[in-house]
Structure formats: C-alpha cells, structure tokens
Amino acid sequence: MKKLIGLAIAMGFMLQSCVTTEEVTVKKEGNITYAMDMDFSELLQTMPTASATSGDVKKALDLINGEELSVEQLLDISLLESKNPEKKKDSILKANPDLLKKTENIRMRVMMNDSVGNIALKVMGKNANDLNTSLKNLDQLSALGESNGKKMEAPAFVKASTFEMKKKSFNRKVEIKAGELKNSLGEMGQMAAMFTYKIKVNFDQPIKSVSYQDALISQDGKSFVKTFKMSEIIDNPRILEYTVELK
C-alpha cells in the first residue's frame, strides 16, 4: 500500500502513465488554475495486489478515493503505517518548516480501483505571478518522500514553467535547456516514446490566434488542445512554450 500511496504524491511517476493531460484555466479576473491529470490504469492492472495491507490503510484509501487532498492530508496518509506517525510528521515539518505554507494552494486527487488508476494535481494561483511561485514551490513535495524513503518530485518542466498575462495576450515560457531533462531521467526516458502528453488551455473569451499552427481550437473558440509525444518533450521541453492572442 505504501507504493500505492506513493503514487498519489510522486509526480515523477507521470512518465509511466499512458496519457497525461495538462490543463490551464485562465479567468478574466486574473486567477489561473494549473491542473495535471495522469491516467495509469493500464499500469495499475499489472501491479501486484495489496492483500497484505493493514485494514486501517485500506479504509483510508477508500475514504480518499476521488477526494481532493491538501499536502498535509497526503502527509498524514503516507505516515499511517509508521510506528510513530505523529513524531515522524513533526520531524518532517521541523526539517521543512515552509512545507505547508508554500503548498497551501496545491491539491491532489487519487482514484484507484481494480480497473482505474488516476492521479490529479491542481495548483490554484490568484494571478500569473502567484501561479509561477506556486509551481516552483512544487519542490516542497520532495519532503513527502521522507515518510517512505522515496524521493517525490514534480516534473522539472512544470516547475520551470512561467506564465504571463498581458491584456489580450497569454504566454508560457519554460526555462530549461534542451537535453537537461533527458539527462536527468536516464533509462526512464527511454520509456517515454509510447506515452502521450496533451495540453489544454481555457479562457473566458474567444481566441484570436495560437502560436501552435496545428492546435485544435474548440467550437466556441475559447480553448485549444495540443498533443505531444512524451519523448518530444524530453528531447526539448521548450516545445511546451506558446503564446495566445485573445479577441
């Protein structure tokens, strides 16, 4: 069960999912929500069963299935099988005093049963600057790995993303060098060719143009979708950069 709980907080696990969808929603008033949804249903079906899991942990998983959880809730769940969870939690928070403050606008949701495996991350920004800071603060998730000895990380290209809204223009930059992500992944990067990464961006007003020439714009003109192979992103994360002009 620790492995399953780890899936809910290990964003680096995204490379093993079949389809990852990144969705950005921009409101007229300025707030921006960044969401990432990872479907690993096929992989989940190949995992061994968790029959040896304690009853308390099984009950906890049933309670959180489909629920949006704060980082503190995830930390509590990950410590359920620890000998002294309160002491362990205090130790982690003492070593990472900014963990809860810097992740207060981050939520995660896990959905797992016999045939469905899905993890969702949501970061809610009051404006573009707040979102950019929050994405960098995803580094704080590594502290959750201290509960089970495994490093937990958000994808580097997510933490390196910067969004900017100026009147009728919205853009995303990715401050990471070509080859840097590929080198950091090692052999895991070789698996990426079979996986899909889709981005969707939503607005309250119609789109005038998108820098992706092959982007699919919705019928109402207020959103677009662009699909990549994960291997393309690993080779050059900056292909995720785009500019949108609004009417």
Side-chain angles (χ1 to χ4, degrees), residues 1-240:
M1 180 57 64
K2 285 186 178 181
K3 290 183 179 179
L4 292 180
I5 292 174
L7 294 180
I9 53 178
M11 299 309 299
F13 181 78
M14 57 155 301
L15 294 177
Q16 296 182 35
S17 63
C18 297
V19 179
T20 297
T21 302
E22 175 190 281
E23 186 165 2
V24 178
T25 301
V26 184
K27 296 295 184 179
K28 286 182 180 178
E29 55 268 28
N31 58 302
I32 305 173
T33 299
Y34 177 94
M36 179 179 283
D37 185 278
M38 291 155 281
D39 183 347
F40 60 98
S41 299
E42 292 184 16
L43 182 63
L44 184 64
Q45 293 174 37
T46 69
M47 295 178 64
T49 60
S51 57
T53 303
S54 69
D56 287 343
V57 176
K58 286 181 180 178
K59 290 178 182 178
L61 182 60
D62 288 339
L63 288 173
I64 68 170
N65 229 1
E67 299 293 327
E68 284 192 355
L69 303 172
S70 67
V71 169
E72 183 170 18
Q73 289 173 313
L74 287 170
L75 178 59
D76 289 338
I77 292 166
S78 70
L79 294 171
L80 282 175
E81 291 185 324
S82 298
K83 292 183 179 179
N84 193 330
E86 288 299 324
K87 184 176 181 180
K88 182 67 174 178
K89 180 179 179 180
D90 288 343
S91 176
I92 291 173
L93 294 179
K94 185 176 180 180
N96 306 274
D98 296 327
L99 172 61
L100 301 184
K101 177 65 177 177
K102 288 187 174 181
T103 60
E104 61 185 358
N105 60 339
I106 295 173
R107 298 291 182 272
M108 295 189 72
R109 186 194 73 238
V110 59
M111 176 64 73
M112 286 189 285
N113 55 39
D114 292 338
S115 60
V116 176
N118 182 275
I119 294 172
L121 164 74
K122 181 189 290 184
V123 183
M124 299 162 285
K126 298 175 183 177
N127 49 49
N129 289 335
D130 186 42
L131 177 63
N132 295 336
T133 299
S134 299
L135 292 177
K136 290 179 174 58
N137 284 342
L138 288 172
D139 267 333
Q140 297 288 322
L141 293 180
S142 62
L144 299 181
E146 296 179 26
S147 63
N148 55 21
K150 294 184 179 180
K151 192 175 183 181
M152 306 297 176
E153 285 193 347
F157 59 82
V158 174
K159 296 181 291 184
S161 293
T162 300
F163 295 90
E164 184 179 38
M165 184 74 189
K166 287 186 176 180
K167 294 183 179 180
K168 297 290 185 178
S169 178
F170 181 75
N171 68 73
R172 178 206 195 151
K173 297 293 183 184
V174 181
E175 297 299 324
I176 187 170
K177 297 178 181 178
E180 186 176 330
L181 180 61
K182 187 174 183 179
N183 293 336
S184 67
L185 291 172
E187 293 183 1
M188 183 180 291
Q190 298 175 14
M191 302 168 56
M194 67 186 77
F195 306 128
T196 299
Y197 195 91
K198 179 166 63 176
I199 63 174
K200 181 178 181 181
V201 186
N202 311 296
F203 299 92
D204 283 342
Q205 49 196 312
I207 295 169
K208 181 179 180 180
S209 65
V210 182
S211 56
Y212 293 129
Q213 293 184 353
D214 58 346
L216 298 177
I217 299 178
S218 62
Q219 276 194 327
D220 65 6
K222 295 182 180 180
S223 66
F224 77 85
V225 173
K226 168 67 176 173
T227 302
F228 301 93
K229 291 181 180 178
M230 193 63 216
S231 56
E232 295 177 301
I233 298 173
I234 291 175
D235 287 339
N236 181 18
R238 299 190 72 171
I239 62 172
L240 293 174

